Amino acid sequence: MSDATAANDQPLIFREGLLDGQVALITGGGTGIGLGIAQLLARLGAHVVVASRKAEHVESAAQSIRAAGGSASSETVDVRDAEQVQAMVARIEQAQGRIDLLVNNAAGNFYAPSESLSPNAWRSVIEIDLFGTFFCSQAVLPAMKRQGRGRIVSISMTLHYRGWPLMAHATAAKAGVDALTRTLAIEWAPYGVRMNAIAPGPIPTEGVRRAFTPPPSASGQVPDMFAVEQAMTSYAKKAIPAGRWGTPGDIANMVAFLASPAGDWITGSIFVVDGGEWLARNPAPQMQR
Ligand code: COA
């Protein structure tokens, strides 16, 4: 299943038209989990604005959603830049008249030892994951206040529930995202804004599949993709209590639930959607001594 079809292929479990008339902004919405979320929200009737740094990703994502019958537009933005974020939100309000849902999905991370992490590497991840979440949330607040209603869902992670070597930057950022979720939930509840987070488990986006694929051999032999799928299935059976990898649709369904009227009395909550993976997680990767 490719990123582009991940959520569109799944049966719709919410009623059609559930989000009719709503406008949803999904950062990092051009690929992977973000695209799955955008596809589902569009199938439920929302106009989705797909935003990311890469114009080619967001334009093709919006186009694929429109081709499937949904309503979508795209925005190019670096969420680390508060001015760019404000300008994007102003354009969306101008074009759509409202913003009902923000999904803070844009993130950046990589495995790297913290002792040699450069200041710029640390700053990049903290700024994308944490500053970006704050800047986007703050920017949509005036529209949500005017409407007397709004939903914000931030995509977090589970790695910071324990230590997770080589991910100091991302775990610190996502711990901050969890803290923001709880604090802003209280501050902004009187405006009708509900602020929650989702901590996804392992989702085999193209990047994960690549990690399971051996590099091409010197003789140019192509990797056996059937063996790759088998290795991934056996990993899931071993490491994920629910016995399978997650899909972008698993995360998207939780976003849709929170965006629906069912989410009206839910705020400041962090939902782990991971098939039980983090509870049963093997010891963290060992550091080389
Ligand atoms: N190990 C150590 N440092 C790394 C690194 C790695 N694997 N990858 C990037 N960095 C460092 C860069 O060297 C740079 O630091 P420097 O200026 O001191 O050399 C700094 O991080 C910023 O990297 P750069 O790629 O130039 O910045 P960016 O702002 O364009 O993008 C990321 C930041 C995190 C998005 C980018 O590094 C990236 O593409 N990461 C992997 C993909 C990813 O995160 N996808 C989203 C998954 S949720």
Side-chain angles (χ1 to χ4, degrees):
M1 190 187 294
S2 74
D3 279 4
T5 57
N8 267 340
D9 281 356
Q10 298 190 353
L12 201 56
I13 63 160
F14 297 94
R15 78 168 162 76
E16 280 188 31
L18 181 69
L19 303 180
D20 272 357
Q22 295 204 19
V23 175
L25 165 62
I26 301 106
T27 66
T31 55
I33 295 174
L35 176 57
I37 293 169
Q39 288 172 330
L40 179 63
L41 298 177
R43 284 177 79 190
L44 293 172
H47 172 85
V48 295
V49 183
V50 185
S52 98
R53 267 198 300 170
K54 299 202 173 121
E56 69 274 18
H57 283 169
V58 287
E59 278 157 19
S60 80
Q63 215 163 34
S64 75
I65 290 168
R66 288 194 296 269
S71 174
S73 50
S74 61
E75 284 287 344
T76 307
V77 69
D78 187 337
V79 294
R80 292 173 280 196
D81 183 329
E83 280 180 17
Q84 279 190 36
V85 169
Q86 296 279 354
M88 168 185 68
V89 167
R91 282 193 301 274
I92 297 169
E93 282 193 73
Q94 173 84 23
Q96 306 298 331
R98 54 190 299 116
I99 300 182
D100 298 276
L101 170 66
L102 163 68
V103 183
N104 285 308
N105 170 74
N109 64 56
F110 44 81
Y111 278 92
S114 48
E115 64 187 72
S116 56
L117 204 58
S118 75
N120 194 36
W122 168 262
R123 192 179 303 115
S124 293
V125 172
I126 299 285
E127 286 192 347
I128 296 170
D129 295 15
L130 180 56
F131 288 27
T133 294
F134 182 70
F135 292 156
C136 291
S137 302
Q138 198 185 38
V140 298
L141 183 66
M144 292 182 174
K145 268 176 82 170
R146 272 198 308 278
Q147 293 157 199
R149 183 188 179 283
R151 302 283 164 84
I152 301 176
V153 179
S154 301
I155 303 302
S156 184
M157 61 164 51
T158 60
L159 299 186
H160 57 293
Y161 296 172
R162 301 182 355 195
W164 203 257
L166 311 180
M167 286 292 249
H169 43 1
T171 52
K174 295 294 189 175
V177 168
D178 289 0
L180 265 186
T181 299
R182 295 190 176 104
T183 296
L184 300 187
I186 302 170
E187 273 193 44
W188 296 353
Y191 304 136
V193 174
R194 304 291 174 259
M195 177 102 190
N196 294 290
I198 299 172
I203 312 279
T205 50
E206 294 307 315
V208 171
R209 195 164 272 111
R210 256 197 313 278
F212 274 80
T213 307
S217 68
S219 63
Q221 200 182 350
V222 288
D224 176 353
M225 291 317 286
F226 182 68
V228 170
E229 291 301 323
Q230 274 187 324
M232 288 179 62
T233 303
S234 107
Y235 173 83
K237 289 208 171 357
K238 220 169 43 199
I240 305 171
R244 68 164 175 85
W245 290 83
T247 66
D250 288 319
I251 310 307
N253 281 331
M254 181 56 91
V255 174
F257 179 83
L258 291 169
S260 80
D264 190 56
W265 211 49
I266 303 174
T267 199
S269 293
I270 297 155
F271 295 89
V272 177
V273 180
D274 76 337
E277 191 255 0
W278 95 264
L279 286 172
R281 189 176 290 154
N282 292 327
Q286 293 301 303
M287 298 295 296
Q288 302 281 338
R289 300 235 172 257

